[in-house]
Amino acid sequence: PAKYLDALLEETKNPRDRLLFSTLAFGGRRVSEVLHAYTHDVVAVNETLHFRLAHPGKSMIEWRTLAGASVRGTRTEYLKSQFGLLPRTEHGALPSKLGWKGIKFDDEAALTSETYFIRNADRELVALHRKYLHEMRQRVPRRRHPYYWVGEDGEPLTQKAVEGQFMLARKRVEERFGIDLSGYGLHSLRHSFGFYCVDILRAGLLMIQKWMGHTHVSSTAIYAHISPETARDELRKAEIRKASAAEKPHIPDAIE
């Protein structure tokens, strides 16, 4: 529930996990999409965090070889030539495997999209982004891969590890408030984003579709649920508007 989101983040002490949970909750993307990010997909520009999503295998990327030559190719080609790796969608039964459900890209040619943050999170998360890079990333073993999110062993962070950290944070919130949140999982952070956009921002479905990257607007329509509190508030506002209109004096048309 939205009222426990801030508490969940407060109970998440690890800067990496807090940054990751915040990215999911305030950026509205799937955890599998976020975990595919490379280090140069997440940058701070003018004190604003930019988080780019890209197809894990087909999106285009430019890099330099050891000889200094500039190369442009797919992420699959980049991983193979520079690191001897496959995209994480092709890791078979390995724990490092990640899915890719498919998103509606901002740039269909490059197969990339921006992450659109709510609640000014693109500015609030810059400090946490730097703390993660300069504290945690500096003390873990260095491994040959381009991924932004890493575990204590320096390897790409697995979705199972993220889910485990979420469950621990959720348990701390349950103990703090004496409640049961067993029906809520990691994907609930994405749902909280969609609900906020509908119930608080009252944004249109097409815009929310873009923010969340849904391929079909029918997927976005699932979030079109208005809370009882908002429904009552909107009803009161409508009645006030109606009463104000009725109180205005009627001015007859001018007679020539």
Side-chain angles (χ1 to χ4, degrees), residues 143-214:
R143 298 286 188 259
R144 280 187 49 78
H145 65 74
Y147 294 102
Y148 177 78
W149 305 101
V150 300
E152 293 291 339
D153 58 358
E155 296 294 343
L157 187 62
T158 66
Q159 184 166 333
K160 183 177 181 180
V162 178
E163 291 170 347
Q165 291 303 312
F166 177 84
M167 295 305 176
L168 290 175
R170 191 190 72 184
K171 184 177 181 180
R172 289 192 288 269
V173 173
E174 291 176 329
E175 293 174 349
R176 175 175 165 183
F177 293 95
I179 56 175
D180 180 11
L181 297 175
S182 58
Y184 296 89
L186 192 61
H187 196 67
S188 300
L189 298 176
R190 174 170 163 88
H191 281 290
S192 71
F193 176 94
F195 185 75
Y196 180 89
C197 291
V198 170
D199 195 56
I200 306 300
L201 301 184
R202 304 304 303 277
L205 290 184
L206 290 179
M207 190 56 68
I208 300 174
Q209 177 189 16
K210 182 176 182 63
W211 296 337
M212 300 188 73
H214 285 134

Side-chain angles (χ1 to χ4, degrees), residues 19-20 23-24 29-43 49-57 59 61 75 78-79 87-89 98-100 113 115 129 132-133 137 145-150 155-157:
L19 176 60
L20 179 50
T23 300
L24 298 175
R29 298 297 189 159
R30 300 181 183 93
V31 63
S32 58
E33 296 165 357
V34 171
L35 290 181
H36 277 296
Y38 294 172
T39 51
H40 61 262
D41 290 327
V42 189
V43 296
L49 190 67
H50 292 257
F51 197 114
R52 180 175 59 180
L53 300 174
H55 190 283
S59 66
I61 186 174
R75 293 203 170 201
Y78 169 68
L79 285 169
R88 296 181 67 178
T89 50
L98 280 178
W100 183 263
S113 285
T115 298
H129 158 69
Y132 165 62
L133 288 182
R137 285 293 300 255
H145 65 74
Y147 294 102
Y148 177 78
W149 305 101
V150 300
E155 296 294 343
L157 187 62

